[in-house]
Amino acid sequence: MSRTEARRTEVTRRLTSVPAAGPVEPAPADLVRSGLRRHAKGVAVVTVGGEPPAGFCVTSLASLSLEPPLMSFTVGLRSASWTAVRGATWVMVQLLAAGQEEVARTFAGPRPARFAAGTSWHRDPLGLPALDGVLARFVLTPVSFRPVGDHALVIGLVVRAARVSDAGPLVHHDGQFVGLPGPVR
């Protein structure tokens, strides 16, 4: 058994040992993935300043608390984005709007030139990449990093928040990006 497999086995053992029920077996990953495809999720892009800037697409964004204002997201431990987030003082979380499917695809894929021509963005006062046309932006300062399987759970304190647009949201459902209509006023 390789060192990585041994570490995975140990993490699985610790996470699945429930005192009241005893050890349990995790469901097969393909069945979990198939079931979770049915769960509609909002789409966000996390960006980090620097040269070059970094950014990646997330559907794991969650509001954890309003007092204090805390949000979380996950990032793969093997990704270049993890290195950028782990060393960042600030990150920007941006909620994508309906019609921003190409932005989502750009930041979800393994494309190295995410901020190249074709991506409409500017730097905010902190030097963070701010995407144009989003629904809302949140600047977070990471306060906790927790390894969770092959990802890290990042918890951040929200230090700035701005509603940018009243358009409808972009959601991810059953392997596709879907735009929803905006609120009727």
Side-chain angles (χ1 to χ4, degrees), residues 17 56 97 119 146:
S17 181
F56 57 99
T119 301
R146 300 272 191 251

Side-chain angles (χ1 to χ4, degrees), residues 7-102:
R7 185 173 31 238
R8 232 182 259 141
T9 300
E10 174 59 21
V11 168
T12 300
R13 186 192 62 72
R14 280 187 281 129
L15 292 175
T16 59
S17 181
V18 181
V24 295
E25 289 295 318
D30 58 334
L31 291 178
V32 173
R33 188 177 301 111
S34 174
L36 286 175
R37 286 176 61 108
R38 306 300 300 157
H39 176 63
K41 303 161 286 292
V43 181
V45 169
V46 176
T47 58
V48 181
E51 286 302 329
F56 57 99
C57 193
V58 299
T59 57
S60 60
L61 182 66
S63 170
L64 299 178
S65 169
L66 291 176
E67 293 294 330
L70 297 171
M71 297 174 84
S72 70
F73 59 87
T74 59
V75 58
L77 291 171
R78 292 185 202 106
S79 71
S81 299
W82 164 237
T83 303
V85 169
R86 183 180 57 204
T89 301
W90 315 104
V91 299
M92 183 178 288
V93 175
Q94 301 164 86
L95 306 181
L96 297 189
Q100 290 190 298
E101 293 87 353
E102 192 54 38

Side-chain angles (χ1 to χ4, degrees), residues 71 92-95 120-122 124 128-140 158 160-165:
M71 297 174 84
M92 183 178 288
V93 175
Q94 301 164 86
L95 306 181
S120 182
W121 66 284
H122 62 278
D124 83 336
L128 296 169
L131 300 173
D132 296 331
V134 299
L135 295 177
R137 291 189 189 101
F138 304 91
V139 174
L140 283 62
V158 180
R160 291 189 186 162
R163 186 173 174 163
V164 180
S165 168

Side-chain angles (χ1 to χ4, degrees), residues 165-177:
S165 168
D166 286 328
L170 183 66
V171 299
H172 191 257
H173 179 258
D174 205 17
Q176 298 179 19
F177 293 109

